[in-house]
Amino acid sequence: MTTYYPTIPTINFEGNTTTNKYAFRHYNADAIVGGKTMKEQLRFAICYWHTMTADGGDPFGAGTMVRNWEGATPMETAHNRVDAFFELLTKLGVELFCFHDADIAPAGDSLEEWFANLDEITDHIKTKMDETGIKLLWNTHNAFSHPRFANGAGSSNKAEVFAYTAAQVKKGIDLSKKLNGTSYVFWGGREGYESLLNTDIKFEQDNIANLWHMAVDYGKEIGHLPQFFVEPKPKEPTTHQYDFDAATTMSFLQAHDLTDYFQLNIEANHATLAGHTFEHELHVARTFNALGSIDANQGNPILGWDTDEFPVDVATVTLAMVEILENGGLPKGGVNFDAKVRRTSIEMDDLVLAHIAGMDTFARGLKNATALLEDKFFENMEAERYASWKGALGQDIRAGKTDLKSLTAWALENGDDITLESNHIEYYQNVFNDYLAK
Ligand code: XLS
Ligand code: NI
Ligand code: NI
């Protein structure tokens, strides 16, 4: 059988003193951390788009990547990619994957031809899944690249584009059923607007909600209802995206009666584009019981766009893992590397090395977060900070036993004697750093 990675062995755990670059330094799949294996805790997934179809091209220049799966026809390339993808997953020991319809099969000359190509390629994918035990975490539709989506998809000004998108969503759910996918993602793409001079926000948002309800209804009808996720992003490609951040998206889901079927897929780089931290977005999602999955990557603070770099920042990933552990894991989701190698990382083995880096960083984050939680780092600090709420006044307020009149009476008698204690935040930041060094 052809191998696309002839020089790459199966990647094993060797510890951080190893000099073998094709080894995990921290990720030890079967080691127990926090009561479960690292594999169960982290649920790694690899995405098809960056790993199999990105070529390193950017707005200033052509692709740079050297890839060995190009075939004589687009379909031959698509088939080769399936084999190369499953070889990569297997060698890294990653058991979940994600894709867009547009990533896996060429669009051909008509929608009918595209659907036929998708059927053929997913037959191939299914064979590989059966052979390896690798599972589909989520799939999605690409309703943003083709020129027809210039004005959005579900939010388009043209009903015809809405109908075309609906056909892609139906096909996506059919493929999810065929491959027994756990979840299905709606990322906004161009669902947003560039100018209010010509936009009716309520009209467009109602149409998006209508599309999502159709997806739920169709899933029920065919007896395959994946967990739906929305992936918030504040901008890019449109100036104002409707799913700006976790809080905005939750209010949209609540307003349109969709919270029973939709959770959030939080991407690190989208969080920072929204002016938040990754952990903030995860925490907000969690407070709504809606933290479903994550797109693991990181942005570059010096650049203001979605650079989708592999996650290597141990401090951020530690805080993200705290949120994931406090969420009870990501049972319908996973840690999906929505990340691409840099334009200068042109060799095939960079795909391997980049995923090793991301997996090791999350393994470190998991170990650090588990230690922080076991030591009650946050619990103790918060207990101290919120101590006054344990007193008689705080308990009465929380229990709903007070009103503005009774609290005014309290304030008139005692309010001039309020004293504040220090947060000692620098001390806690210093202690937090100890956990990163372990
Ligand atoms: C783009 C998004 C996209 C989604 C899937 O910024 O991250 O890749 O994850 O459509
Ligand atoms: Ni993403
Ligand atoms: Ni993104």
Side-chain angles (χ1 to χ4, degrees), residues 15 45 77 80 84 86 109 141 144 193 224 255 260 263 269-270 290-291 296 299 304 327 332 345 368 434:
T77 302
N80 292 346
F86 277 82
D109 293 328
H141 48 285
F144 45 90
Y193 70 93
H224 176 77
D260 287 350
Q263 293 184 329
N269 204 159
H270 299 182
L291 174 54
N327 192 53
K332 297 280 181 78
S345 298
N368 298 342
D434 283 344

Side-chain angles (χ1 to χ4, degrees), residues 19 150 203 401:
T19 52
F203 179 80
K401 291 183 187 160

Side-chain angles (χ1 to χ4, degrees), residues 51-115:
T51 298
M52 303 311 299
T53 64
D55 64 1
D58 71 10
F60 301 93
T64 54
M65 311 281 172
V66 180
R67 297 291 180 249
N68 58 12
W69 48 65
E70 295 302 326
T73 64
M75 274 306 270
E76 195 181 312
T77 302
H79 277 292
N80 292 346
R81 280 190 175 126
V82 173
D83 291 325
F85 189 56
F86 277 82
E87 184 178 344
L88 179 69
L89 286 158
T90 306
K91 286 188 164 165
L92 285 163
V94 172
E95 296 181 349
L96 297 167
F97 67 101
C98 305
F99 68 86
H100 299 87
D101 46 11
D103 310 330
I104 61 169
D109 293 328
S110 66
L111 186 59
E112 199 180 347
E113 189 181 335
W114 189 16
F115 283 177

Side-chain angles (χ1 to χ4, degrees), residues 47 49-50 99-100 138 140-142 144 185-189 231-233 235-237 265 267 270 273 295 297 306 308 336 338:
C47 80
W49 52 103
H50 288 314
F99 68 86
H100 299 87
W138 56 258
T140 183
H141 48 285
N142 177 332
F144 45 90
V185 162
F186 285 82
W187 167 57
E231 185 179 321
K233 184 174 183 179
K235 56 186 169 188
E236 190 197 311
N265 179 37
E267 176 166 322
H270 299 182
L273 281 176
D295 270 7
N297 60 19
D306 199 14
D308 290 337
N336 170 46
D338 189 351

Side-chain angles (χ1 to χ4, degrees), residues 26-279:
H26 295 274
Y27 178 61
N28 186 357
D30 298 320
I32 305 285
V33 178
K36 289 186 203 157
T37 64
M38 290 181 107
K39 187 164 78 180
E40 288 165 329
Q41 295 275 29
L42 291 165
R43 292 175 57 76
F44 288 127
I46 300 185
C47 80
Y48 216 93
W49 52 103
H50 288 314
T51 298
M52 303 311 299
T53 64
D55 64 1
D58 71 10
F60 301 93
T64 54
M65 311 281 172
V66 180
R67 297 291 180 249
N68 58 12
W69 48 65
E70 295 302 326
T73 64
M75 274 306 270
E76 195 181 312
T77 302
H79 277 292
N80 292 346
R81 280 190 175 126
V82 173
D83 291 325
F85 189 56
F86 277 82
E87 184 178 344
L88 179 69
L89 286 158
T90 306
K91 286 188 164 165
L92 285 163
V94 172
E95 296 181 349
L96 297 167
F97 67 101
C98 305
F99 68 86
H100 299 87
D101 46 11
D103 310 330
I104 61 169
D109 293 328
S110 66
L111 186 59
E112 199 180 347
E113 189 181 335
W114 189 16
F115 283 177
N117 290 345
L118 283 166
D119 290 340
E120 183 180 321
I121 295 294
T122 50
D123 283 347
H124 187 170
I125 289 180
K126 192 167 179 340
T127 307
K128 299 302 285 185
M129 289 171 71
D130 292 343
E131 250 171 58
T132 58
I134 290 167
K135 296 191 168 67
L136 173 61
L137 178 62
W138 56 258
N139 60 311
T140 183
H141 48 285
N142 177 332
F144 45 90
S145 293
H146 191 279
R148 77 174 64 83
F149 301 115
N151 290 285
S155 67
S156 175
N157 57 317
K158 288 187 75 74
E160 294 83 350
V161 175
F162 183 99
Y164 192 101
T165 308
Q168 273 184 262
V169 172
K170 176 184 175 295
K171 187 67 181 173
I173 297 171
D174 287 337
L175 296 179
S176 172
K177 181 174 183 178
K178 173 175 177 179
L179 301 177
N180 198 22
T182 305
S183 305
Y184 190 89
V185 162
F186 285 82
W187 167 57
R190 296 177 199 274
E191 311 289 35
Y193 70 93
E194 59 185 359
S195 171
L196 264 189
L197 295 179
N198 63 1
T199 303
D200 181 340
I201 291 183
K202 177 145 183 11
F203 179 80
E204 294 196 0
Q205 293 198 346
D206 285 348
N207 288 343
I208 295 173
N210 186 11
L211 180 67
W212 294 0
H213 274 289
M214 286 182 194
V216 172
D217 291 345
Y218 183 66
K220 286 183 180 165
E221 189 184 322
I222 64 167
H224 176 77
L225 194 61
Q227 172 65 53
F228 291 107
F229 294 139
V230 190
E231 185 179 321
K233 184 174 183 179
K235 56 186 169 188
E236 190 197 311
T238 54
T239 315
H240 309 274
Q241 304 261 129
Y242 291 137
D243 310 323
F244 189 93
D245 61 2
T248 310
T249 306
M250 286 314 301
S251 82
F252 183 96
L253 293 174
Q254 287 174 340
H256 294 94
D257 196 22
L258 285 157
T259 50
D260 287 350
Y261 304 101
F262 281 77
Q263 293 184 329
L264 302 182
N265 179 37
I266 300 292
E267 176 166 322
N269 204 159
H270 299 182
T272 50
L273 281 176
H276 300 306
T277 60
F278 187 27
E279 61 271 21

